[in-house]
Amino acid sequence: MGFWELFVVLVVGLIVLGPERLPTAVRSVARWIKTVKQMATNVQAEINEELRVHELHQNLKKAEHQGMDNLSPELKRSVTELSEAAQSVTHSYKNTEQNTEQAQNSNNDQQPK
């Protein structure tokens, strides 16, 4: 928006809303714009992550077709990254499972018999 368009919007807002309510309206619009920008940024980040995961899966399929022996450096990097991610998920799952078991055992010990 150019200066004159902004000036016209400001004058119309001043006439319609009045000088008392105009600052509140401007703040509300600014909050809405900020929220929309944050949502757009979050969607963009999620799409980028999904594209990266899709690329890793494609590279893994290529590696499987090549027999995992003579892979290009890019495919080796993707396979390594995928295996590390799988291990971190597995470790996280095991830790959560162990914590749950410990909590259940603790609750069983505390219950009167």
Side-chain angles (χ1 to χ4, degrees):
M1 222 189 247
F3 172 75
W4 289 111
E5 289 97 0
L6 189 60
F7 182 73
V8 169
V9 169
L10 185 63
V11 169
V12 170
L14 188 59
I15 292 170
V16 171
L17 296 175
E20 301 85 29
R21 292 187 295 179
L22 185 62
T24 305
V26 169
R27 274 187 240 116
S28 296
V29 170
R31 270 189 242 123
W32 291 343
I33 291 172
K34 182 180 177 182
T35 301
V36 168
K37 283 183 180 181
Q38 285 176 344
M39 288 173 54
T41 301
N42 290 341
V43 168
Q44 184 178 13
E46 288 179 22
I47 289 172
N48 287 338
E49 183 64 22
E50 288 297 321
L51 289 173
R52 187 180 75 79
V53 167
H54 181 70
E55 181 183 353
L56 289 173
H57 282 282
Q58 285 179 334
N59 287 342
L60 183 60
K61 287 180 183 178
K62 285 181 191 176
E64 288 174 350
H65 288 297
Q66 291 181 1
M68 303 289 267
D69 294 330
N70 46 355
L71 300 175
S72 68
E74 177 186 337
L75 289 177
K76 286 181 183 179
R77 203 172 323 115
S78 293
V79 170
T80 304
E81 191 174 337
L82 280 172
S83 64
E84 288 172 358
Q87 287 175 357
S88 71
V89 169
T90 303
H91 291 305
S92 173
Y93 173 73
K94 285 181 180 177
N95 289 342
T96 303
E97 191 176 79
Q98 288 174 353
N99 290 342
T100 303
E101 286 177 6
Q102 288 174 355
Q104 287 175 348
N105 290 339
S106 166
N107 287 341
N108 290 340
D109 291 343
Q110 291 177 359
Q111 292 179 352
K113 294 182 182 182

